[in-house]
Amino acid sequence: MFRFALNRLLMALPTLFIVAVAVFVLIRLIPGDPAQLLLGDLADPVRLAELRSRLGLDQSWLVQFGIWGRHALHGDLGVSITTGESVMHLVWTRFLVSAQIVLVAVFFAALVAVPAGMIAAWKQNRWPDLALVGTATLLVSLPTFWLGLLLLLFLGLKMDWLPVVGYVSVASDWKAGLLYLVMPIMTLFLHEIGVLIRMARASTLEVLRLDYITHARAKGLSERAVLMHHAFRNSFGPTWTLIGLVLGNLLGGVAVVETVFTIPGLGRLLVDAIFARDYPVIQGCLLFVAVIYVLTNLVIDLCYPLFDPRVLAE
């Protein structure tokens, strides 16, 4: 198990390095000068030169990357150009807000989608299968921003059950904070449940066609025993992988949902930083997203032996 975990970790390190290089280079290709943006178009050239020197923008890209990479390894992602705050503090604070929404949404989506997908596969081409697949396809087809706006319209404006605009921290007032999180969580839940139902159904169908399932049925086992004790463990692997991919993507920043519901999460921080040409915040957000994505998938890989011990023998 230790060797398996070490191999997966060593595979993740080059990915993070490539992502760091790509992030750094792409940020430098964004049109516009952060110093000019801060001081204005009519700024004194002397002041512009001083600010560029203070921000390190007068150095070569290689030197800038070396300085940034060395600091990033020590957890220092720099200082925001626009606010002067620590980028790491900004990113971590906003990430905690996004994580509250994403973790709850993905947990409940998986809790509902996995058994629903198995039922759809078990009842293939019958009305439960058609109903579940149709619902899943519809939910996948709906953009998250449109789902969010529908929830705002009906649950917020028409029914007046939930607050429409704003955000309250759960730590400061947990009752009010939970009310503000209900609609963002529902939006992600409804969208991701469709993706997971389709995957759970496809992987279960593949397993149900295997010979050992036929043999289990021939021994007289009930359909419930066949599904739970024989089909579930082997069919859950692909769905588990997709859960990890969904979780990594969403934890990286649900910018659309956070914008619709005015949630101060990581995705919205990244969007605001792009408009402000705030290089340190953009770089910090993207690098943090990459680390979260890689670590999430590393955890998913490490859990695979629980479903298939043969993975350790590879």
Side-chain angles (χ1 to χ4, degrees):
M1 182 65 181
F2 175 77
R3 183 179 178 182
F4 175 77
L6 184 61
N7 287 337
R8 289 297 186 272
L9 182 61
L10 291 177
M11 289 171 60
L13 293 178
T15 303
L16 289 176
F17 177 76
I18 294 172
V19 169
V21 173
V23 166
F24 181 85
V25 172
L26 290 175
I27 294 303
R28 293 305 184 275
L29 295 177
I30 296 177
D33 182 357
Q36 188 79 55
L37 189 67
L38 284 174
L39 297 180
D41 295 333
L42 303 177
D44 181 28
V46 176
R47 291 187 62 198
L48 278 175
E50 290 177 353
L51 183 57
R52 289 194 184 101
S53 177
R54 181 161 58 85
L55 297 176
L57 299 176
D58 59 339
Q59 303 286 340
S60 67
W61 282 14
L62 186 61
V63 173
Q64 291 182 49
F65 178 76
I67 296 173
W68 176 67
R70 186 174 68 251
H71 289 165
L73 288 174
H74 292 86
D76 180 11
L77 298 178
V79 177
S80 170
I81 295 175
T82 54
T83 66
E85 296 181 67
S86 166
V87 173
M88 190 63 196
H89 174 73
L90 274 174
V91 170
W92 181 250
T93 304
R94 297 297 190 91
F95 170 73
L96 292 179
V97 176
S98 298
Q100 295 175 40
I101 302 170
V102 171
L103 292 176
V104 176
V106 173
F107 172 77
F108 283 107
L111 199 63
V112 174
V114 172
M118 293 183 67
I119 292 172
W122 180 39
K123 300 289 186 179
Q124 185 183 13
N125 296 330
R126 286 181 274 181
W127 73 264
D129 179 31
L130 298 177
L132 287 169
V133 170
T135 303
T137 303
L138 176 64
L139 291 175
V140 170
S141 304
L142 297 178
T144 52
F145 76 89
W146 194 71
L147 270 175
L149 291 176
L150 284 180
L151 291 177
L152 282 174
L153 177 62
F154 288 103
L155 299 182
L157 296 178
K158 298 289 186 182
M159 310 299 292
D160 197 24
W161 287 350
L162 296 168
V164 176
V165 178
Y167 172 76
V168 175
S169 172
V170 177
S172 60
D173 186 346
W174 68 272
K175 289 185 179 180
L178 290 177
L179 289 177
Y180 280 100
L181 293 178
V182 169
M183 285 195 286
I185 290 173
M186 285 182 64
T187 302
L188 292 182
F189 167 81
L190 290 173
H191 186 267
E192 301 307 329
I193 195 175
V195 178
L196 295 177
I197 284 177
R198 288 156 61 95
M199 175 56 76
R201 177 184 181 274
S203 58
T204 304
L205 275 176
E206 185 178 352
V207 171
L208 288 177
R209 296 191 180 108
L210 297 178
D211 291 339
Y212 81 94
I213 296 294
T214 304
H215 179 69
R217 285 170 171 162
K219 291 194 301 183
L221 293 178
S222 65
E223 285 296 313
R224 182 178 181 277
V226 170
L227 284 173
M228 297 305 299
H229 300 294
H230 295 274
F232 172 72
R233 185 171 181 178
N234 291 319
S235 66
F236 188 60
T239 308
W240 178 246
T241 301
L242 184 60
I243 291 173
L245 294 174
V246 167
L247 192 61
N249 282 329
L250 294 180
L251 283 174
V254 281
V256 173
V257 173
E258 290 171 356
T259 301
V260 169
F261 294 102
T262 63
I263 302 294
L266 185 60
R268 194 171 175 195
L269 173 66
L270 179 58
V271 172
D272 292 342
I274 291 173
F275 282 115
R277 301 292 193 276
D278 197 335
Y279 282 2
V281 175
I282 299 173
Q283 290 176 162
C285 285
L286 293 178
L287 184 62
F288 188 83
V289 167
V291 170
I292 291 297
Y293 194 88
V294 169
L295 289 180
T296 301
N297 284 277
L298 178 62
V299 172
I300 295 297
D301 287 344
L302 294 179
C303 291
Y304 256 104
L306 299 176
F307 310 117
D308 188 357
R310 293 174 298 176
V311 173
L312 295 177
E314 295 180 356

